[in-house]
Coordinates of all heavy atoms in Angstrom, one line a residue:
M677 N 105.1 77.9 80.5 CA 104.7 78.7 81.7 C 105.5 80.0 81.7 O 106.8 80.0 81.6 CB 104.9 78.0 83.0 CG 104.4 78.7 84.2 SD 104.4 77.6 85.6 CE 105.0 78.7 86.8
M678 N 104.9 81.1 81.8 CA 105.6 82.4 81.8 C 106.2 82.7 83.2 O 105.5 82.3 84.2 CB 104.7 83.6 81.5 CG 104.1 83.5 80.1 SD 105.0 84.5 78.9 CE 105.1 86.0 79.7
S679 N 107.4 83.2 83.3 CA 107.9 83.6 84.6 C 107.2 84.8 85.1 O 106.8 85.7 84.3 CB 109.4 83.8 84.5 OG 109.7 84.8 83.6
K680 N 107.1 85.0 86.4 CA 106.5 86.2 87.0 C 107.4 87.4 86.8 O 108.6 87.3 86.9 CB 106.3 86.0 88.4 CG 105.2 84.9 88.7 CD 104.9 84.8 90.2 CE 104.2 86.1 90.7 NZ 103.7 86.0 92.0
T681 N 106.7 88.5 86.5 CA 107.5 89.7 86.3 C 106.9 90.8 87.2 O 105.7 90.8 87.6 CB 107.4 90.2 84.8 OG1 106.1 90.4 84.4 CG2 108.1 89.2 83.9
A682 N 107.8 91.8 87.5 CA 107.3 92.9 88.3 C 107.6 94.2 87.5 O 108.6 94.3 86.8 CB 108.2 92.9 89.6
R683 N 106.7 95.1 87.6 CA 106.8 96.4 86.9 C 107.3 97.4 87.9 O 106.8 97.5 89.0 CB 105.4 96.8 86.4 CG 105.4 98.0 85.5 CD 104.1 98.3 84.9 NE 103.0 98.5 85.9 CZ 102.0 97.7 86.1 NH1 101.8 96.7 85.4 NH2 101.1 98.0 87.0
I684 N 108.4 98.0 87.6 CA 109.0 99.0 88.5 C 108.5 100.4 88.0 O 108.6 100.7 86.9 CB 110.6 99.0 88.4 CG1 111.1 97.6 88.7 CG2 111.2 100.0 89.4 CD1 110.8 97.0 90.1
E685 N 108.0 101.1 89.0 CA 107.4 102.5 88.7 C 108.0 103.5 89.6 O 108.4 103.2 90.8 CB 105.9 102.5 88.8 CG 105.2 101.5 88.0 CD 103.7 101.4 88.2 OE1 103.2 101.7 89.3 OE2 103.0 101.0 87.3
V686 N 108.1 104.7 89.1 CA 108.7 105.8 89.9 C 107.6 106.9 90.0 O 106.9 107.2 89.0 CB 109.9 106.4 89.2 CG1 110.5 107.6 89.9 CG2 111.0 105.4 89.0
Q687 N 107.5 107.5 91.2 CA 106.5 108.6 91.3 C 107.1 109.9 90.9 O 108.2 110.3 91.3 CB 106.1 108.7 92.8 CG 104.8 109.6 92.9 CD 104.3 109.5 94.4 OE1 105.1 109.7 95.3 NE2 103.0 109.3 94.5
D688 N 106.4 110.6 89.9 CA 106.9 111.8 89.4 C 106.6 113.0 90.4 O 105.9 112.8 91.4 CB 106.5 112.1 88.0 CG 105.0 112.3 87.9 OD1 104.3 112.6 88.9 OD2 104.5 112.2 86.7
Q689 N 107.0 114.2 90.0 CA 106.8 115.3 90.9 C 105.3 115.7 91.1 O 104.9 116.4 92.0 CB 107.5 116.6 90.4 CG 107.0 117.0 89.0 CD 107.9 118.1 88.4 OE1 109.0 118.3 88.9 NE2 107.5 118.7 87.4
F690 N 104.4 115.1 90.2 CA 103.0 115.4 90.3 C 102.2 114.3 91.0 O 101.0 114.3 91.1 CB 102.4 115.7 88.9 CG 103.1 116.7 88.2 CD1 103.9 116.4 87.1 CD2 103.0 118.1 88.6 CE1 104.6 117.4 86.4 CE2 103.7 119.1 87.9 CZ 104.5 118.7 86.8
G691 N 103.0 113.3 91.6 CA 102.3 112.2 92.3 C 101.9 111.1 91.4 O 101.2 110.1 91.9
R692 N 102.1 111.1 90.1 CA 101.7 110.0 89.2 C 102.8 109.0 89.1 O 104.0 109.3 89.1 CB 101.4 110.6 87.8 CG 100.2 111.5 87.8 CD 99.9 111.9 86.3 NE 101.0 112.7 85.7 CZ 100.9 113.9 85.5 NH1 99.8 114.6 85.7 NH2 101.9 114.6 84.9
W693 N 102.4 107.7 89.0 CA 103.4 106.7 88.9 C 103.7 106.4 87.4 O 102.8 106.2 86.6 CB 102.9 105.4 89.5 CG 102.8 105.5 91.0 CD1 101.7 105.8 91.7 CD2 103.8 105.4 91.9 NE1 102.0 105.9 93.1 CE2 103.3 105.6 93.2 CE3 105.2 105.1 91.8 CZ2 104.1 105.5 94.4 CZ3 105.9 105.0 93.0 CH2 105.4 105.2 94.2
Q694 N 105.0 106.5 87.1 CA 105.5 106.3 85.7 C 106.3 105.0 85.6 O 107.1 104.7 86.5 CB 106.4 107.5 85.3 CG 105.8 108.8 85.5 CD 104.7 109.1 84.5 OE1 104.7 108.6 83.4 NE2 103.7 110.0 84.9
R695 N 106.1 104.3 84.5 CA 106.8 103.0 84.3 C 108.3 103.3 84.2 O 108.7 104.1 83.4 CB 106.2 102.3 83.1 CG 106.9 101.0 82.9 CD 106.4 100.3 81.6 NE 105.0 100.0 81.7 CZ 104.5 98.7 81.9 NH1 105.4 97.7 81.9 NH2 103.3 98.5 81.9
F696 N 109.1 102.5 84.9 CA 110.5 102.6 84.8 C 111.1 101.4 84.0 O 111.8 101.6 83.0 CB 111.2 102.7 86.1 CG 112.7 102.7 86.1 CD1 113.4 103.7 85.5 CD2 113.4 101.6 86.7 CE1 114.8 103.7 85.5 CE2 114.8 101.6 86.7 CZ 115.5 102.7 86.1
Q697 N 110.8 100.2 84.4 CA 111.2 99.0 83.7 C 110.5 97.8 84.2 O 109.7 97.9 85.2 CB 112.7 98.8 83.8 CG 113.2 98.3 85.2 CD 114.7 98.1 85.2 OE1 115.3 98.7 86.0 NE2 115.2 97.2 84.4
T698 N 110.6 96.7 83.5 CA 110.0 95.4 84.0 C 111.2 94.5 84.3 O 112.1 94.4 83.5 CB 109.1 94.9 82.9 OG1 108.1 95.8 82.6 CG2 108.4 93.6 83.3
V699 N 111.1 93.8 85.4 CA 112.1 92.8 85.8 C 111.5 91.5 86.2 O 110.3 91.5 86.5 CB 113.0 93.4 87.0 CG1 113.7 94.7 86.6 CG2 112.1 93.6 88.2
S700 N 112.3 90.5 86.3 CA 111.8 89.2 86.9 C 111.5 89.4 88.3 O 112.2 90.2 89.0 CB 112.8 88.1 86.6 OG 114.0 88.4 87.4
A701 N 110.5 88.7 88.8 CA 110.0 89.0 90.2 C 110.7 88.2 91.2 O 110.2 87.4 92.0 CB 108.5 88.7 90.2
T702 N 112.1 88.4 91.2 CA 112.9 87.8 92.3 C 113.2 88.9 93.3 O 113.3 90.1 92.9 CB 114.1 87.1 91.8 OG1 114.9 88.1 91.2 CG2 113.8 86.0 90.8
D703 N 113.4 88.6 94.5 CA 113.8 89.6 95.5 C 114.9 90.4 95.1 O 114.9 91.7 95.2 CB 114.0 88.9 96.9 CG 112.8 88.4 97.5 OD1 111.6 88.7 97.1 OD2 112.9 87.5 98.5
T704 N 116.0 89.8 94.7 CA 117.2 90.5 94.3 C 117.0 91.4 93.2 O 117.4 92.6 93.2 CB 118.3 89.5 94.0 OG1 118.5 88.6 95.1 CG2 119.6 90.2 93.7
S705 N 116.4 91.0 92.1 CA 116.2 91.8 90.9 C 115.3 93.0 91.2 O 115.5 94.1 90.7 CB 115.7 91.0 89.7 OG 114.5 90.5 90.0
I706 N 114.3 92.8 92.1 CA 113.4 93.9 92.4 C 114.1 94.9 93.3 O 114.0 96.1 93.0 CB 112.1 93.3 93.2 CG1 111.2 92.6 92.2 CG2 111.4 94.5 93.9 CD1 110.1 91.8 92.9
K707 N 114.9 94.5 94.2 CA 115.6 95.5 95.1 C 116.6 96.3 94.3 O 116.7 97.5 94.4 CB 116.3 94.7 96.2 CG 115.4 94.3 97.3 CD 116.2 93.9 98.6 CE 115.3 93.4 99.7 NZ 114.2 94.3 100.0
L708 N 117.3 95.6 93.4 CA 118.3 96.3 92.6 C 117.6 97.3 91.6 O 118.0 98.5 91.5 CB 119.1 95.4 91.7 CG 120.1 94.5 92.5 CD1 120.8 93.5 91.6 CD2 121.2 95.4 93.1
A709 N 116.5 96.9 91.0 CA 115.8 97.8 90.1 C 115.2 99.0 90.9 O 115.2 100.1 90.4 CB 114.7 97.1 89.4
L710 N 114.7 98.8 92.1 CA 114.1 99.9 92.9 C 115.2 100.9 93.2 O 115.0 102.1 93.2 CB 113.5 99.4 94.2 CG 112.1 98.7 94.0 CD1 111.7 98.1 95.3 CD2 111.1 99.6 93.5
Q711 N 116.4 100.4 93.6 CA 117.5 101.3 93.9 C 117.9 102.1 92.7 O 118.2 103.3 92.8 CB 118.7 100.5 94.5 CG 118.4 99.9 95.9 CD 119.4 98.9 96.3 OE1 120.3 98.5 95.6 NE2 119.3 98.4 97.5
R712 N 118.0 101.4 91.5 CA 118.3 102.2 90.3 C 117.3 103.2 89.9 O 117.6 104.3 89.5 CB 118.4 101.2 89.1 CG 119.8 100.5 89.0 CD 119.9 99.8 87.7 NE 118.9 98.9 87.3 CZ 118.8 97.6 87.6 NH1 119.8 97.1 88.2 NH2 117.8 96.9 87.2
A713 N 116.0 102.9 90.2 CA 114.9 103.8 89.8 C 115.0 105.0 90.7 O 114.7 106.1 90.2 CB 113.6 103.1 90.0
L714 N 115.4 104.9 91.9 CA 115.5 106.1 92.8 C 116.5 107.0 92.4 O 116.5 108.2 92.8 CB 115.7 105.6 94.3 CG 114.5 105.1 95.1 CD1 114.9 104.8 96.5 CD2 113.4 106.1 95.1
K715 N 117.5 106.6 91.6 CA 118.6 107.4 91.2 C 118.3 108.2 89.9 O 119.1 109.0 89.5 CB 119.9 106.6 91.0 CG 120.4 106.0 92.2 CD 121.6 105.1 92.0 CE 122.1 104.4 93.3 NZ 123.1 103.5 93.0
T716 N 117.1 108.0 89.4 CA 116.7 108.6 88.1 C 116.3 110.1 88.4 O 115.9 110.4 89.5 CB 115.6 107.9 87.4 OG1 114.4 107.9 88.2 CG2 116.0 106.5 87.1
Q717 N 116.4 110.9 87.3 CA 115.9 112.3 87.4 C 114.4 112.3 87.7 O 114.0 113.2 88.5 CB 116.2 113.0 86.0 CG 115.8 114.4 86.0 CD 116.6 115.3 86.9 OE1 117.8 115.0 87.1 NE2 116.0 116.3 87.4
L718 N 113.7 111.4 87.2 CA 112.2 111.3 87.4 C 111.9 111.2 88.9 O 110.9 111.8 89.4 CB 111.6 110.2 86.6 CG 110.1 110.1 86.6 CD1 109.4 111.3 86.0 CD2 109.6 108.9 85.8
A719 N 112.7 110.5 89.7 CA 112.4 110.3 91.1 C 113.1 111.3 92.0 O 113.0 111.3 93.2 CB 112.9 108.9 91.5
S720 N 113.7 112.4 91.4 CA 114.5 113.3 92.2 C 113.6 114.1 93.1 O 114.1 114.6 94.2 CB 115.2 114.3 91.3 OG 114.4 115.1 90.5
K721 N 112.3 114.3 92.8 CA 111.4 115.1 93.7 C 110.7 114.2 94.7 O 110.7 114.5 95.9 CB 110.4 115.9 92.9 CG 110.9 116.9 91.9 CD 111.2 118.2 92.6 CE 111.6 119.3 91.6 NZ 112.7 120.0 92.0
S722 N 110.1 113.2 94.2 CA 109.3 112.3 95.1 C 110.1 111.4 96.0 O 109.7 111.0 97.1 CB 108.3 111.5 94.3 OG 109.0 110.4 93.6
R723 N 111.2 110.9 95.4 CA 112.1 109.9 96.1 C 111.4 108.6 96.4 O 111.6 108.0 97.4 CB 112.8 110.5 97.3 CG 113.5 111.8 97.1 CD 114.7 111.7 96.2 NE 115.7 110.8 96.8 CZ 116.5 110.0 96.1 NH1 116.5 110.0 94.8 NH2 117.3 109.2 96.7
K724 N 110.4 108.2 95.5 CA 109.6 107.0 95.7 C 109.6 106.1 94.5 O 109.5 106.6 93.4 CB 108.2 107.3 96.1 CG 108.0 108.0 97.4 CD 106.5 108.2 97.7 CE 106.3 109.0 98.9 NZ 104.9 109.4 99.1
A725 N 109.8 104.8 94.7 CA 109.7 103.9 93.6 C 109.0 102.6 94.2 O 109.1 102.4 95.4 CB 111.1 103.4 93.2
R726 N 108.3 102.0 93.3 CA 107.5 100.8 93.8 C 107.6 99.7 92.8 O 107.9 99.9 91.6 CB 106.1 101.1 94.1 CG 105.2 101.4 92.8 CD 103.8 101.8 93.2 NE 103.0 102.0 92.0 CZ 101.7 102.4 92.0 NH1 101.1 102.5 93.1 NH2 101.1 102.6 90.9
A727 N 107.4 98.5 93.2 CA 107.3 97.3 92.4 C 105.9 96.7 92.5 O 105.4 96.5 93.6 CB 108.4 96.3 92.8
V728 N 105.3 96.5 91.3 CA 103.9 95.9 91.3 C 104.0 94.7 90.4 O 104.7 94.6 89.4 CB 102.9 96.9 90.8 CG1 102.7 98.0 91.8 CG2 103.2 97.5 89.5
D729 N 103.1 93.7 90.8 CA 103.0 92.5 89.9 C 102.5 92.9 88.6 O 101.5 93.6 88.5 CB 102.1 91.5 90.6 CG 102.0 90.2 89.9 OD1 101.5 90.2 88.7 OD2 102.4 89.2 90.5
D730 N 103.2 92.6 87.5 CA 102.9 93.0 86.2 C 101.5 92.5 85.7 O 100.9 93.1 84.9 CB 104.0 92.7 85.2 CG 104.0 93.5 84.0 OD1 103.6 94.7 84.1 OD2 104.3 93.0 82.9
K731 N 101.1 91.3 86.2 CA 99.9 90.7 85.8 C 98.7 91.2 86.6 O 97.6 91.5 86.1 CB 100.0 89.2 85.9 CG 98.9 88.4 85.3 CD 99.2 86.9 85.2 CE 98.1 86.2 84.4 NZ 98.4 84.8 84.3
T732 N 98.8 91.2 87.9 CA 97.7 91.5 88.8 C 97.6 93.0 89.3 O 96.6 93.4 89.7 CB 97.7 90.6 90.1 OG1 98.8 91.0 90.9 CG2 97.7 89.2 89.7
G733 N 98.8 93.7 89.2 CA 98.8 95.0 89.7 C 99.0 95.2 91.2 O 99.0 96.2 91.8
A734 N 99.2 94.0 91.9 CA 99.4 94.0 93.3 C 100.7 94.6 93.7 O 101.7 94.3 93.1 CB 99.2 92.6 93.9
L735 N 100.7 95.3 94.8 CA 102.0 95.9 95.3 C 102.9 94.9 95.9 O 102.4 94.1 96.7 CB 101.7 97.0 96.3 CG 102.8 97.7 96.9 CD1 103.5 98.6 95.9 CD2 102.4 98.6 98.1
I736 N 104.1 94.8 95.4 CA 105.1 93.9 95.9 C 106.0 94.6 96.9 O 106.3 94.0 98.0 CB 106.0 93.3 94.8 CG1 105.1 92.5 93.8 CG2 107.1 92.4 95.3 CD1 105.8 92.1 92.5
D737 N 106.5 95.8 96.6 CA 107.5 96.5 97.5 C 107.4 97.9 97.1 O 107.1 98.3 96.0 CB 108.9 95.9 97.3 CG 109.8 96.3 98.4 OD1 109.4 96.9 99.4 OD2 111.0 95.9 98.3
I738 N 107.8 98.8 98.1 CA 107.9 100.2 97.8 C 109.2 100.7 98.5 O 109.5 100.2 99.6 CB 106.7 101.0 98.3 CG1 106.7 102.4 97.7 CG2 106.5 100.9 99.8 CD1 105.4 103.1 97.8
L739 N 109.9 101.6 97.9 CA 111.2 102.1 98.4 C 111.1 103.6 98.4 O 110.8 104.2 97.4 CB 112.4 101.5 97.6 CG 113.8 101.8 98.1 CD1 113.9 101.0 99.5 CD2 114.8 101.2 97.2
Q740 N 111.5 104.2 99.5 CA 111.5 105.6 99.6 C 112.9 106.0 100.0 O 113.5 105.5 100.9 CB 110.5 106.1 100.6 CG 110.4 107.6 100.6 CD 109.2 108.1 101.4 OE1 108.3 107.3 101.8 NE2 109.0 109.4 101.6
G741 N 113.5 107.0 99.3 CA 114.9 107.4 99.6 C 115.1 108.7 99.3 O 115.8 109.6 99.2

């Protein structure tokens, strides 16, 4: 059985979501990855990062900072 994974994406300056990384779908790993994603150059304009289920594409969490 495969463990669930979450895809972390960052919104670029044009409003498109770009893949940042894939993490295990635990609350802690998702929160840490979202915080790291917001610190990237790619997120410097939009200040938005989201976590989506890697298999279904369902939104898990979104962070704005």
Side-chain angles (χ1 to χ4, degrees):
M677 184 172 141
M678 297 264 309
S679 61
K680 290 184 70 172
T681 57
R683 188 172 61 243
I684 306 300
E685 300 175 336
V686 176
Q687 191 174 48
D688 66 17
Q689 64 188 11
F690 305 108
R692 293 186 298 251
W693 291 99
Q694 305 291 331
R695 180 184 295 255
F696 174 66
Q697 74 178 118
T698 303
V699 297
S700 63
T702 63
D703 290 344
T704 305
S705 62
I706 289 172
K707 284 195 182 307
L708 290 173
L710 286 173
Q711 290 169 354
R712 277 194 309 269
L714 282 181
K715 294 177 183 174
T716 63
Q717 182 68 31
L718 187 60
S720 63
K721 298 275 189 229
S722 72
R723 307 295 298 148
K724 290 181 186 173
R726 70 180 180 182
V728 293
D729 186 295
D730 203 32
K731 190 172 186 179
T732 66
L735 181 67
I736 297 171
D737 197 4
I738 192 163
L739 190 61
Q740 188 168 350

